[in-house]
Amino acid sequence: MINLKPLTLEDVSPFYEWINDDISIKYSLSIFQSMHSKEQIDAWFLTVVNDLKNFNRGIFLNDTNKLIGYAGICNISKLNRSGEYFIFIGDRQQWAKGIGSQVTQLLLAIGFEKLGLNSIMLTVSEPNYAAIKAYENAGFKPEGRMRKACFRDNQFHDKLLMSILKDEWFDRRDLIKNEDN
């Protein structure tokens, strides 16, 4: 259904629309809340494309090669073998199709198998029920709560901290493989 590929400067165009769509960015990166102009988005996107410390990938549809978002693992600590998962599907026509779950599984495999991480964490806004359910289905477990850490719709809400460990992911993967056989 999808392919994860490095982003290039030519991939910026959809972000102009997505970042200026209040619904698309509602629970996404805080920086998206303050960017609106083409120049601001270009400057941010240039840092994403040139970022060598984090693992950033564009989410492309296999059949059309259309860019629909980006995801990756940031804040990677080689010493602690840990990182933070993120995903942004800006194309709302692609929501609720299982793409986020597929991206999550692909990036967990990359994080644990290729990047050698032991722990991958994420934060998610508490009102984002669909995302929380998807992360739980992927094997993420709750670790904590950051109280009133996010301000959207003129009110504060909590952010949840979730993580998955390498051995948990491998156990889940093996269990799913055995159920398929």
Side-chain angles (χ1 to χ4, degrees):
M1 187 182 313
I2 58 100
N3 190 10
L4 300 177
K5 300 187 293 191
L7 291 163
T8 67
L9 292 176
E10 293 76 33
D11 295 321
V12 71
S13 308
F15 285 91
Y16 301 141
E17 178 184 341
W18 300 337
I19 291 175
N20 283 294
D21 176 0
D22 290 340
I23 295 171
S24 290
I25 66 167
K26 184 172 186 174
Y27 297 121
S28 193
L29 297 173
S30 295
I31 193 170
F32 288 174
Q33 308 299 319
S34 62
M35 285 192 301
H36 302 290
S37 73
K38 181 180 182 299
E39 293 75 22
Q40 290 170 318
I41 295 168
D42 285 343
W44 164 79
F45 195 74
L46 181 63
T47 64
V48 170
V49 170
N50 291 326
D51 182 359
L52 299 177
K53 290 192 267 185
N54 299 304
F55 188 84
N56 300 308
R57 291 295 183 264
I59 306 168
F60 294 85
L61 294 177
N62 273 341
D63 55 349
T64 63
N65 202 35
K66 178 184 178 187
L67 177 67
I68 62 165
Y70 91 115
I73 301 172
C74 63
N75 299 322
I76 296 171
S77 169
K78 291 183 181 183
L79 175 65
N80 297 317
R81 295 176 46 200
S82 63
E84 181 176 354
Y85 175 72
F86 69 91
I87 183 170
F88 172 67
I89 299 176
D91 183 341
R92 287 195 280 140
Q93 293 180 355
Q94 303 305 321
W95 289 7
K97 293 184 175 182
I99 292 172
S101 295
Q102 185 180 6
V103 170
T104 302
Q105 289 305 319
L106 288 170
L107 281 168
L108 289 177
I110 290 167
F112 293 130
E113 295 177 4
K114 293 184 178 168
L115 300 178
L117 301 179
N118 185 60
S119 173
I120 298 175
M121 59 82 66
L122 60 82
T123 61
V124 59
S125 294
E126 189 172 43
N128 196 350
Y129 307 113
I132 293 168
K133 180 81 172 144
Y135 296 141
E136 289 172 341
N137 289 342
F140 283 89
K141 294 184 176 14
E143 283 209 5
R145 172 182 301 273
M146 297 183 297
R147 299 178 305 145
K148 296 188 178 184
C150 193
F151 187 75
R152 300 289 191 281
D153 296 331
N154 291 317
Q155 61 184 358
F156 288 98
H157 65 258
D158 294 353
K159 291 193 85 166
L160 304 179
L161 176 64
M162 302 177 81
S163 72
I164 185 169
L165 302 175
K166 182 177 185 175
D167 58 350
E168 294 168 340
W169 182 78
F170 274 105
D171 289 347
R172 262 182 85 76
R173 188 192 64 173
D174 292 345
L175 182 65
I176 291 168
K177 280 183 184 177
N178 289 336
E179 288 175 355
D180 289 343
N181 292 333

